[in-house]
Amino acid sequence: MVDNPLTLDPELNSTTVGSAQGLYGVASRSEVAFVQLFNFVFTADGGEYRGSTVTVLGHNSIFADGTREMPVVGGTGVFGFARGKVHLKTYSFNTTTGNAIVECDIYAFHY
């Protein structure tokens, strides 16, 4: 289970706009990969996306080179019925703590 800060930039001191909440489990016998389900929950005061969510579900090969892609499978609020994709890129990874900062660009649209 995760409940991580969602920030504008991939820096720990960046402005928090919500949280990435969800779960993941190991999903491969041959690589370090997860099946992940998480919601980007937007909570920024006064923001047009406050109270809205984007839902992502899919396979994530976390140590793959470059950018990884996962599908957007839904959302709420201004992202109601969203479809699209997210691009993930590991910005930093601490091998001692296992903590990572992952840059995520959302390409979502809704009907």
Side-chain angles (χ1 to χ4, degrees):
M1 304 296 283
V2 296
D3 184 4
N4 295 328
L6 184 62
T7 60
L8 287 177
D9 298 303
E11 302 287 342
L12 288 176
N13 60 355
S14 180
T15 302
T16 299
V17 295
S19 59
Q21 300 173 340
L23 53 93
Y24 63 92
V26 175
S28 177
R29 294 180 310 242
S30 60
E31 64 175 330
V32 180
F34 298 141
V35 61
Q36 292 184 294
L37 167 63
F38 53 94
N39 289 304
F40 295 123
V41 181
F42 295 93
T43 59
D45 290 335
E48 66 181 296
Y49 306 120
R50 182 178 174 81
S52 298
T53 65
V54 172
T55 303
V56 177
L57 169 65
H59 179 86
N60 184 3
S61 299
I62 63 169
F63 291 124
D65 290 336
T67 301
R68 291 131 21 227
E69 185 175 288
M70 292 178 64
V72 170
V73 297
T76 63
V78 298
F79 299 111
F81 299 105
R83 295 291 180 266
K85 61 185 177 180
V86 297
H87 284 170
L88 305 170
K89 184 175 182 182
T90 302
Y91 186 78
S92 67
F93 179 72
N94 184 315
T95 57
T96 303
T97 64
N99 292 330
I101 296 176
V102 177
E103 182 176 0
C104 179
D105 295 317
I106 302 172
Y107 303 94
F109 59 90
H110 57 88
Y111 300 96

